[in-house]
Amino acid sequence: MIRQFALPDLVIAARTGDTDTLAQFDAVCTESGAFALTGLPISEPVLAAVYEQTLEFFRLPQGSKEALRDPGGNPYIGWHGPTEGSERDSGKRKEMFHIGPRISPTLATPDPGGHFDAPPGAIGGSLWPRTLPAFTEAWHAYYRQMQESAMLLGEVMAATLGVELAVWQELVATNWADLAANYYPAARPEDTGSRNAVHTDDTLFTILYQDDGGGGGLRMQRRDGRWVDVPPVAETYLVNIGALLTYLTADQWWAVPHEVTAPRVEDPSTQTPRVSIPFFYRPNDSRALTPFHTAAQPTGTVLMSEWLHNRRTSAVR
């Protein structure tokens, strides 16, 4: 089991200086790098819509989905089929869809003060499915509420780490967080091996919604090396620390390795697909990154784009 927190309680702790609660939160981020979170400002109708519309998206004809691939071949933009994912997904029966403000500027992000501009009039773009306008609308609504959730969680993290809130807000202003969906078809007896191999995320943190289908689940590795199963829990999201936050905290917080395991064909849930919807929270590529406490790691400044390039071109992560 992993530790569970309620976001409203954490926010109160951050604003009132409740050192006991923040110390518990810090210990979890240091030792396990993941926690369950409730109380996010995600309305039930918005969550229901984004889930149902995501299923509708993956039911589209193959040709309709293939038209939403990134022309440049970026595996983290648009739709990708079973053999078109990153190196850790190659050959799997997994489909993905990634989108964010770098390619769809109508997705709202906060300014340096943590405020949102008025919502844009028209939404859409070349990588949204034109035959599913309800999908585009649902994802925009969910994205906005995820940004609000991340803004609150960031306030908690800043207080826990002793980082000025203005510094954190500047880091994530006009961010390029991606909203994504992973779709795993109903399992077959011949499906073997991990459905998503061990990796860490290139994020500050990731907020994940997962359903209970597919017969294969999420596992995470604690800092002490132990692996723990993280099954879905109703009305609960999963947050995992990403490699960028590990970098900015000079390895204080643990970027948790995780995977999606092979399906258990004896599990009744194998008769249904598995869907997970992660929100990958990270700055835009032009943001300068400096570790929060430079005395501990005087590495200087690097742009987000440079950090990301160096990480993705390194040997094994």
Side-chain angles (χ1 to χ4, degrees):
M1 296 293 293
I2 65 170
R3 179 66 184 271
Q4 180 172 303
F5 295 98
L7 182 56
D9 293 343
L10 290 176
V11 172
I12 291 173
R15 294 176 180 176
T16 61
D18 180 351
T19 55
D20 288 342
T21 298
L22 296 182
Q24 294 174 40
F25 182 72
D26 176 63
V28 168
C29 293
T30 298
E31 296 164 7
S32 68
F35 52 91
L37 194 63
T38 62
L40 282 67
I42 308 293
S43 72
E44 181 57 37
V46 166
L47 176 59
V50 80
Y51 179 69
E52 291 301 324
Q53 289 302 315
T54 297
L55 285 174
E56 287 299 314
F57 172 83
F58 287 112
R59 293 183 186 122
L60 286 173
Q62 187 77 1
S64 298
K65 291 182 289 189
E66 288 177 350
L68 304 178
R69 290 182 296 185
D70 174 48
N74 188 323
Y76 303 101
I77 293 177
W79 177 85
H80 300 277
T83 60
E84 298 174 293
S86 66
E87 69 284 352
R88 64 177 180 261
D89 305 314
S90 181
K92 304 296 184 183
R93 293 197 308 133
K94 171 187 173 185
E95 296 181 43
M96 301 178 291
F97 184 74
H98 285 246
I99 201 161
R102 56 190 162 138
I103 51 172
S104 182
T106 56
L107 293 169
T109 58
D111 64 20
H115 305 292
F116 289 89
D117 293 329
I123 60 176
S126 61
L127 290 183
W128 293 106
R130 296 181 181 178
T131 59
L132 277 183
F135 172 86
T136 305
E137 293 171 5
W139 272 50
H140 274 74
Y142 187 74
Y143 187 91
R144 170 64 179 263
Q145 293 187 0
M146 266 295 162
Q147 283 282 350
E148 294 169 349
S149 301
M151 194 162 55
L152 291 170
L153 184 56
E155 182 178 347
V156 174
M157 291 183 169
T160 303
L161 292 166
V163 174
E164 292 186 15
L165 182 57
V167 171
W168 181 278
Q169 288 178 332
E170 179 65 26
L171 174 68
V172 299
T174 60
N175 63 72
W176 278 4
D178 272 353
L179 182 58
N182 300 308
Y183 177 84
Y184 306 88
R188 306 172 303 186
E190 61 266 33
D191 290 339
T192 59
S194 174
R195 303 183 98 177
N196 195 352
V198 177
H199 65 284
T200 56
D201 292 342
D202 300 326
T203 60
L204 291 166
F205 55 82
T206 301
I207 304 176
L208 178 73
Y209 167 83
Q210 57 174 339
D211 72 6
D212 58 0
L218 185 64
R219 294 201 316 151
M220 292 188 160
Q221 186 180 35
R222 293 171 48 91
R223 197 167 209 148
D224 61 11
R226 288 185 293 141
W227 283 90
V228 296
D229 292 325
V230 189
V233 177
E235 300 181 359
T236 301
Y237 294 80
L238 178 71
V239 178
N240 64 272
I241 302 301
L244 178 57
L245 197 47
T246 296
Y247 169 77
L248 292 174
T249 62
D251 294 330
Q252 176 182 341
W253 282 6
W254 174 243
V256 57
H258 52 284
E259 68 171 342
V260 178
T261 60
R264 301 181 297 273
V265 294
E266 70 279 5
D267 190 324
S269 68
T270 58
Q271 304 304 311
T272 60
R274 169 182 164 81
V275 173
S276 65
I277 305 176
F279 178 76
F280 296 114
Y281 195 57
R282 60 100 158 177
N284 69 54
D285 275 4
S286 64
R287 190 66 62 196
L289 305 175
T290 304
F292 293 138
H293 304 297
T294 54
Q297 187 183 29
T299 56
T301 298
V302 63
L303 293 180
M304 177 68 199
S305 59
E306 296 171 331
W307 179 88
L308 198 57
H309 174 77
N310 293 339
R311 176 166 160 76
R312 289 180 176 174
T313 55
S314 62
V316 178
R317 49 185 174 127

